[in-house]
Amino acid sequence: MNLSATQLDEYRQNGYLYFPNLLTAEEVDILRSAIPALMASTGPEVKRDTPESTPKIVYAPHVNDPHYGMLSRLPRILGTVQQLLGEAAYVYQSRINLKLPFTGDSWSWHQDFTAWHLGDGMPRPHAVMTAVFLDACTVANGPLLVIPRSQRESLDDILSREAKVQGYEVQRVATDTLKSLAEEGGIVDLAGPAGSVAFIHPTLMHGSAPNMSPWPRSILYLNYSAVSNRTTANKRPWFMNNTDNSALQLAETDSLLQAA
């Protein structure tokens, strides 16, 4: 997939690009069929409230499952990231956020780069968050919400806008800041069918409401960083800060189907 000059400019201006049905139904089925085994793992990369509870987050699926690894190198995904960054990339972090029916948590307004910078020493927000919808996202099950044009390249600007609580993992954004950003850019809900993909700047303000529906809402995040933007600290475990930062090579267009 070759991005047009208009699409590149849209990303620079709005902080994201959204493509409904970028993956086929067959590809989504392959990815979803691997979720139960990933959730069943007892490793530290599977986050549960208690040892007996259903996982809420599964980290590093691109390492622990070959289909997710192949997905991370598809030209539609990695090729787009390379165009947005203008250089080679690696998967800095991957995770599946699982919003279960009626119980999926909300995520307050935040942007991700502060945690990446303070926690892992990522030098600059020269990275791309790639959100892959593994389930249909609707207004009822807590879709991803974004504030267009809220991305900021300056770290000083980001840090001055946010008060961190509980270290760098939790961010609380002042109401007046959110009001100003929303009045400038509006709020967009990225609702769409399974297989849709959003490419998001890592300082774009985003969040989501609880899942109030009887249907699951799972999103895979493949967070890429430019190879020139490798992290410099090891405060967090490997599944949150991938130590394999070699440049990824593009796979064949249909390689996910061929590997099934």
Side-chain angles (χ1 to χ4, degrees), residues 29-45:
D29 286 344
I30 291 169
L31 297 171
R32 290 176 61 175
S33 67
I35 291 178
L38 289 168
M39 292 175 62
S41 172
T42 58
E45 65 271 25

Side-chain angles (χ1 to χ4, degrees), residues 34-163:
I35 291 178
L38 289 168
M39 292 175 62
S41 172
T42 58
E45 65 271 25
V46 180
K47 296 298 183 181
R48 299 175 171 88
D49 286 339
T50 67
E52 297 78 22
S53 61
T54 302
K56 291 184 176 181
I57 302 177
V58 176
Y59 284 97
H62 83 288
V63 174
N64 293 328
D65 182 88
H67 301 104
Y68 283 87
M70 190 65 70
L71 173 72
S72 72
R73 299 193 296 113
L74 288 185
R76 280 163 287 167
I77 305 293
L78 177 60
T80 302
V81 169
Q82 290 173 336
Q83 291 174 75
L84 294 174
L85 293 175
E87 65 173 285
Y90 74 99
V91 176
Y92 150 75
Q93 183 192 102
S94 71
R95 67 181 188 271
I96 302 173
N97 283 10
L98 301 157
K99 280 199 175 185
L100 302 177
F102 297 120
T103 59
D105 292 339
S106 63
W107 291 84
S108 300
W109 289 108
H110 66 288
Q111 53 77 38
D112 284 10
F113 178 64
T114 300
W116 300 355
H117 177 75
L118 296 178
D120 303 321
M122 182 179 287
R124 298 181 295 130
H126 195 37
V128 178
M129 299 166 53
T130 303
V132 180
F133 295 6
L134 300 177
D135 295 308
C137 295
T138 72
V139 294
N141 66 3
L144 185 63
L145 304 175
V146 299
I147 300 180
R149 301 194 295 278
S150 63
Q151 75 276 13
R152 297 292 185 271
E153 287 289 345
S154 167
L155 180 61
D156 290 337
D157 187 34
I158 294 166
L159 295 178
S160 67
R161 285 174 176 267
E162 299 181 359

